[in-house]
Amino acid sequence: MIKLTPSAAEQIRNSASQGQMDGMSLRLAATRNPDGSLHYGMGFDDSQMDGDTRITSEGIELVVSESSLTLLAGMTMDYVELEPGSWQFIFMNPNDPNYKPPETD
């Protein structure tokens, strides 16, 4: 299962609206780098390819290719302010060797 946080979903909706891509699915992709880490990609897409999996999270339809699905399984995508005024999507993915789960108190 791939999940979006409410913050990520809101930003995706805003981006779709600004780019006049309302109603399009968000395609997520991942490839493994030579060092084992993951490289992520995303973009709005209205095509359907053989082997695609469709997932709905927070009202957003996500499309993932068969080759990316195992790399993205269990991932949560968030949209956070990393530094004042600098917002970015982050990928909390247990399949990425560089991922460190958030510390709990």
Side-chain angles (χ1 to χ4, degrees), residues 32 35-38 40 93-100:
R32 196 165 295 279
D35 67 357
S37 65
L38 295 180
Y40 299 95
N93 186 345
N95 301 305
D96 190 331
N98 294 325
Y99 171 68
K100 303 281 188 265

Side-chain angles (χ1 to χ4, degrees), residues 1-17 21-28 42-45 53-64 77 89:
M1 173 69 79
I2 298 168
K3 294 188 255 180
L4 299 176
T5 64
S7 178
E10 180 180 347
Q11 181 59 30
I12 292 165
R13 280 188 202 89
N14 289 342
S15 294
S17 180
M21 297 183 187
D22 291 313
M24 284 189 171
S25 301
L26 182 70
R27 183 173 289 276
L28 298 175
M42 62 182 178
F44 295 104
D45 191 353
T53 297
R54 294 187 176 274
I55 301 161
T56 301
S57 179
E58 294 291 324
I60 304 290
E61 185 177 52
L62 307 172
V63 179
V64 181
M77 191 168 98
F89 285 103

Side-chain angles (χ1 to χ4, degrees), residues 5 7-8 11 78-90:
T5 64
S7 178
Q11 181 59 30
D78 199 357
Y79 188 70
V80 297
E81 188 174 24
L82 296 176
E83 296 177 9
S86 176
W87 289 80
Q88 292 183 14
F89 285 103
I90 62 168

